[in-house]
Amino acid sequence: MENKTEDLSLIHSSDESSSCRTIEQMILNIRGYQVMLDRDLASLYGVETKVLNQAVKRNIERFPDDFRFQLTKEECLRSQIVTFKYLPYAFTENGIAMLSSVLRSRTAIEMNIRIMRAFTSIRHIIANNEIIFQRIANIEYHQIEIDKRIDEVFEKIKSNQPQQGIFFEGQIFDAYHFVSGLIRKANKTIILIDNYVDDSVLTLLDKRNDNVSATIYTPKISEQLKLDIKRHNKQYPEIIVKCFAKSHDRFLIIDDELYHIGASIKDLGKKWFAFTLMKDISPYDILQKM
């Protein structure tokens, strides 16, 4: 008989241990508190979530904000909490302890004991592994610092892009890469003044960011170019092409910067050409005269 009693005791202890592990999985860290959601508590107590919250509302003076609070949509998303018709309430350890004075059923009392043990178990885990958690925090901090330095390097690389120089014959990719970089860095507008334009120029301008307008000024719009533009604009963000025959040189305006380019965009790298950022001239001076 004693053996049977011991066996039953072991089974009961095993069930309770399993229950505590299940409860531990329901404990979340939100706003710096270890909390449990109303629906999980209701499930453990064997009542509907609505009944639990109604009981709390009838005794709301016992549940200040550090005992119980309602989650926001952002908190639900961050904690990967699936919401249904309402935003759930979270109960801290103190709030859960207070529930025992509101829900007085035998099931609620027994379950509260198990929940308190689960909270205690988590505190022991945190205390026993404090050094490990501190090391993890240090690793995360150093990783953030490394990421910042990498970002700074990339920013310096971007800021150190050439502003003037010469591309020699055969540097087709280098020239193409340079102009592509200029087009990608535009935030608002791109204006190209070029006497020789074909479909390759349209393709190059498609490297611009969303919501960046693109306009080409060229002296002659052939029937072929008209057809290319029409087909292009049906599939991609619109590029406006206008007639303008007063410029001998080529200019590329990127937002507030004016570049003088010694070759047509379509012929980049085929022959020697120079490019210059004209720092002392505002692009608006050119646009007004146009």
Side-chain angles (χ1 to χ4, degrees), residues 149-161:
R149 289 174 186 175
I150 290 172
D151 289 340
E152 288 173 3
V153 169
F154 278 119
E155 286 301 320
K156 286 181 180 178
I157 290 173
K158 288 180 182 178
S159 63
N160 288 334
Q161 282 187 332

Side-chain angles (χ1 to χ4, degrees), residues 129-185:
N129 295 279
E130 184 175 359
I131 294 176
I132 294 175
F133 291 141
Q134 185 61 46
R135 287 178 179 174
I136 292 172
N138 287 337
I139 290 170
E140 290 177 345
Y141 172 77
H142 288 304
Q143 185 61 50
I144 290 170
E145 290 300 309
I146 290 169
D147 290 343
K148 284 181 180 177
R149 289 174 186 175
I150 290 172
D151 289 340
E152 288 173 3
V153 169
F154 278 119
E155 286 301 320
K156 286 181 180 178
I157 290 173
K158 288 180 182 178
S159 63
N160 288 334
Q161 282 187 332
Q163 295 182 334
Q164 59 185 20
I166 297 176
F167 286 109
F168 296 98
E169 182 180 1
Q171 287 187 274
I172 296 174
F173 180 79
D174 291 343
Y176 181 83
H177 178 70
F178 167 72
V179 176
S180 296
L182 294 180
I183 289 169
R184 287 192 181 99
K185 81 172 187 176

Side-chain angles (χ1 to χ4, degrees), residues 34-45:
Q34 300 290 329
V35 301
M36 292 182 68
L37 301 183
D38 52 3
R39 65 192 184 205
D40 290 335
L41 289 167
S43 175
L44 292 171
Y45 295 149

Side-chain angles (χ1 to χ4, degrees), residues 197-204 206 224-225 228-229 232 266:
V197 175
D198 61 13
D199 58 343
S200 67
V201 178
L202 305 180
T203 302
L204 191 58
D206 282 336
Q224 181 60 56
L225 182 57
D228 289 341
I229 295 165
H232 172 277
K266 73 180 186 66

